[in-house]
Amino acid sequence: MGTERDNSVCFSFGVIADIQYADVEDGYNFMKTRKRYYRNSITLLSEAVEEWNKDCMPPSFILQLGDIIDGLNAQHKASKKALKNVMQEFKKSKADIHHIWGNHEFYNFSRHCLMSSALNSQHLGNSMTPASSNRVNSNVGEDKQETFYCYDFCPFPSFRFVVIDCYDLSTLGREDCSKKYQESLKIIRKINKNEDLNNPEGLGAAKQRFVQFNGGLSQDQLEWLDEVLSYSDENQEKVIVVGHIPVHPCAADPICLVWNFDDVLAVLYSHKCVVSFMAGHDHDGGYFQDERGIHHITFEGVIETPPTSHAFGTVFVYKDKMILKGNGRVPHRVMPYPECDNQ
């Protein structure tokens, strides 16, 4: 019976990243090396939702890994309309959508606006951890300019997902007068001397991440993450951490990393419960299993996916592994949990 139980699927979930929809003609990335299919991205989203809905084992929920609409919408004063169009497609999903925030969310909306928008999926959090309960209580009267967007949820016994805010420290989305804006500006200007803070010129591979389209986690958020993971350790849970920006240098281009990724990894490595970190941001995607056995998965971006292909996946969760069934540019992967690698 034990073997049969291990081979049965506990639950599944869908993943899609970097849709970046805009009702504009196709264009190219910043370096002019990759084509971007702005209008067609919503078609690929629609087809992904259709596939998830008709699956014989529909996903329990969907992770939308950020950059849901492109920053070009702000230039055309079309942010609200573009978001409405994309959300109409997500509303067709039979599963709940967990939204992660990326840099393009902040190109279009302020943090205050996002907190009261349809992209705030904190209400889907069902955590009973002391860390999350304390955070809910401490949010009363908190300076909304300094808050961060995070929560955790348990979709199945002994499994927890933790959503983190990779732009907690950022100059994007915050008022110039906020403490975190000023702190973030000091961090980036200390290393990046370019007039355009999105320009990595002269930084070298080890410091290319110090550009404005990346961000970091504050000490408060790191402490919150540590507390949630401690709870999961004590309760023998397996944890998947989710954020827009990758945190391991081997899982993405060096220009697409959290500013203080080493601090984030230090927290993850101090706990035995973490089995995976999932992100978007780097449209080429990436994968690396680190020395602790954590699977770092960077999902390929919809925005740079040709109309003849796809970029989404469904993850089937077992007691001893996860299996990613990729579509189009997203490859298939079998990912045993660290303690199960040698069994």
Side-chain angles (χ1 to χ4, degrees):
M1 289 293 290
T3 301
E4 182 180 342
R5 190 180 299 118
D6 287 344
N7 287 334
S8 62
V9 180
C10 298
F11 65 98
S12 68
F13 62 94
V15 189
I16 194 165
D18 298 88
I19 299 165
Q20 291 184 221
Y21 167 71
D23 186 13
V24 299
E25 297 296 328
D26 293 346
Y28 289 86
N29 62 356
F30 181 76
M31 302 299 292
K32 309 297 182 185
T33 57
R34 294 295 181 89
K35 192 169 184 177
R36 292 187 169 180
Y37 305 89
Y38 294 108
R39 284 200 181 102
N40 194 67
S41 64
I42 199 169
T43 301
L44 296 189
L45 167 62
S46 177
E47 291 172 357
V49 170
E50 184 180 353
E51 285 297 315
W52 283 320
N53 282 343
K54 70 181 185 182
D55 198 306
C56 60
M57 182 182 178
S60 300
F61 58 90
I62 309 296
L63 295 178
Q64 187 277 112
L65 293 179
D67 286 3
I68 192 170
I69 62 174
D70 197 87
L72 287 173
N73 289 290
Q75 298 176 26
H76 293 86
K77 302 186 185 307
S79 299
K80 291 183 179 179
K81 182 178 180 181
L83 180 60
K84 181 181 178 180
N85 289 341
V86 176
M87 294 304 286
Q88 282 296 114
E89 296 303 322
F90 272 120
K91 285 179 181 178
K92 297 174 184 177
S93 170
K94 296 178 181 178
D96 288 332
I97 316 297
H98 292 269
H99 295 287
I100 285 75
W101 295 353
N103 47 310
H104 283 264
E105 274 74 16
F106 294 112
Y107 296 154
N108 284 284
F109 306 105
S110 69
R111 178 170 289 267
H112 176 75
C113 186
L114 285 170
M115 280 293 186
S116 58
S117 77
L119 292 179
N120 184 345
S121 50
Q122 286 179 315
H123 63 281
L124 297 176
N126 59 4
S127 177
M128 299 300 291
T129 65
S132 292
S133 298
N134 291 339
R135 175 162 167 71
V136 169
N137 294 332
S138 67
N139 276 344
V140 179
E142 183 181 5
D143 185 348
K144 299 303 181 183
Q145 274 301 317
E146 309 302 333
T147 192
F148 50 89
Y149 173 72
C150 68
Y151 64 97
D152 58 297
F153 63 99
C154 235
F156 190 87
S158 299
F159 288 91
R160 185 171 303 278
F161 285 72
V162 182
V163 173
I164 64 171
D165 185 347
C166 294
Y167 292 88
D168 181 12
L169 292 180
S170 173
T171 57
L172 304 177
R174 295 193 186 278
E175 296 290 339
D176 295 2
C177 60
S178 76
K179 293 178 182 178
K180 284 185 176 176
Y181 177 93
Q182 294 299 326
E183 180 184 355
S184 302
L185 195 60
K186 287 180 181 178
I187 290 172
I188 192 170
R189 280 188 169 164
K190 181 179 180 180
I191 296 168
N192 190 333
K193 305 301 182 182
N194 294 305
E195 184 176 350
D196 179 0
L197 293 177
N198 275 325
N199 184 2
E201 186 176 348
L203 296 182
K207 295 184 178 180
Q208 281 187 17
R209 67 187 185 277
F210 289 99
V211 286
Q212 205 165 24
F213 56 76
N214 294 327
L217 278 68
S218 66
Q219 186 58 37
D220 284 347
Q221 187 178 178
L222 289 170
E223 290 174 2
W224 173 83
L225 176 61
D226 184 58
E227 290 180 34
V228 173
L229 297 182
S230 292
Y231 177 90
S232 290
D233 280 344
E234 293 167 5
N235 289 274
Q236 298 182 316
E237 296 177 334
K238 291 179 175 63
V239 175
I240 293 90
V241 183
V242 185
H244 181 66
I245 312 177
V247 298
H248 200 290
C250 295
D253 188 287
I255 201 174
C256 293
L257 288 170
V258 165
W259 287 345
N260 56 337
F261 72 82
D262 47 349
D263 293 333
V264 181
L265 287 176
V267 174
L268 302 186
Y269 290 166
S270 66
H271 299 277
K272 61 184 179 181
C273 58
V274 182
V275 299
S276 180
F277 187 97
M278 297 184 177
H281 199 47
D282 183 346
H283 300 166
D284 288 340
Y287 170 79
F288 183 71
Q289 185 176 18
D290 65 28
E291 64 272 18
R292 302 300 183 95
I294 298 173
H295 298 276
H296 295 265
I297 313 162
T298 305
F299 283 83
E300 288 74 4
V302 171
I303 184 60
E304 292 178 10
T305 301
T308 55
S309 186
H310 281 289
F312 70 96
T314 304
V315 180
F316 295 88
V317 181
Y318 298 78
K319 291 192 175 180
D320 62 342
K321 63 182 174 292
M322 294 186 296
I323 296 179
L324 168 60
K325 178 186 175 185
N327 292 269
R329 296 173 63 217
V330 176
H332 296 291
R333 300 190 189 280
V334 178
M335 299 170 287
Y337 304 134
E339 70 272 20
C340 300
D341 273 345
N342 298 318
Q343 291 182 6

